[in-house]
Amino acid sequence: MTSHPAEAPPGPPNPRRAEILGAAAELFARRGYHGASIGDLGRAVGLTGPALYRHFSGKEAVLAEMLLDISERLLAEGLRRAADPDPGRALDALLSWHIAFALDNPALITVQERELDNVPEPQRHRIRRLQRAYVEEWVAVLRRLSPRPPDERTRAAVHACFGLLNSTPRSAVQGLDRAAMAGLLHGMARAALEGVR
């Protein structure tokens, strides 16, 4: 397992902030970041726009915290699952975790894909660093699983796999139930990653 600089632990959960972040994810996914105002976001959670400023300094801060939270959660659980000494189990655990996250959070996946460039630079840099660290956990597991091609090829395969797994906002609406969709994604992704030569 690769090592990474420790991130500051999150503070205690704030239910109102979590509610705002959840509503913002749905709103930004549906309308786009620029198509939703702070007033729209306030109304979605029963607050006036100005009252929302007691929780966040503005729309940019909402987006930044949302995407930082996603990245921190993915990495924290990725580190835990990649630590399994059996690389086959570690890969299955990583796949199960990412698939569950993608199926349960389609709005967050959509916002992550579309809106990262709207996050202020310091937070965007941290998000990118967390994302790279998450990818490296997958690369390390794949290299333990079998002799692998150069890291660049393995890394590209992991990114391509994420493209498949993060397709859930579009692919998971085709009539399969959640368990069937999870199984389909797991089988496809595992076969794709094992096929890298």
Side-chain angles (χ1 to χ4, degrees):
M1 184 172 59
T2 55
S3 62
H4 306 287
E7 297 293 337
N14 178 319
R16 192 57 160 160
R17 285 174 75 88
E19 180 188 11
I20 293 165
L21 290 172
E26 295 294 332
L27 201 57
F28 294 165
R30 195 169 58 251
R31 296 190 193 172
Y33 174 76
H34 293 295
S37 71
I38 202 76
D40 295 330
L41 181 51
R43 282 188 291 279
V45 293
L47 293 172
T48 63
L52 199 63
Y53 288 112
R54 289 199 299 269
H55 301 279
F56 291 95
S57 61
K59 199 168 69 162
E60 274 188 347
V62 172
L63 180 63
E65 183 164 326
M66 181 191 307
L67 297 188
L68 275 167
D69 178 64
I70 295 169
S71 302
E72 287 168 347
R73 281 193 282 157
L74 285 169
L75 177 58
E77 189 62 19
L79 284 163
R80 191 182 75 75
R81 291 177 182 241
D84 190 310
D86 181 303
R89 281 198 315 259
L91 179 58
D92 282 331
L94 284 169
L95 284 165
S96 295
W97 156 241
H98 196 106
I99 289 165
F101 185 90
L103 287 171
D104 292 342
N105 299 282
L108 287 175
I109 295 293
T110 298
V111 174
Q112 170 73 25
E113 288 182 348
R114 286 197 323 218
E115 308 295 353
L116 182 58
D117 287 345
N118 291 308
V119 174
E121 176 53 36
Q123 293 96 330
R124 188 165 68 245
H125 177 75
R126 184 172 174 209
I127 290 165
R128 291 286 193 206
R129 187 163 44 85
L130 290 163
Q131 290 174 338
R132 285 192 298 271
Y134 183 57
V135 168
E136 291 309 309
E137 290 304 313
W138 287 67
V139 169
V141 166
L142 288 171
R143 291 190 68 78
R144 285 194 293 131
L145 188 61
S146 65
R148 307 303 299 182
D151 282 349
E152 294 75 18
R153 189 171 169 82
T154 308
R155 203 168 285 115
V158 170
H159 280 288
C161 178
F162 288 170
L164 168 66
L165 302 182
N166 292 344
S167 71
T168 53
R170 299 167 298 281
S171 62
V173 295
Q174 304 303 319
L176 290 181
D177 66 27
R178 188 186 188 286
M181 189 68 199
L184 176 65
L185 289 169
H186 195 287
M188 291 174 69
R190 176 85 193 227
L193 290 172
E194 288 181 339
V196 178
R197 294 286 182 266

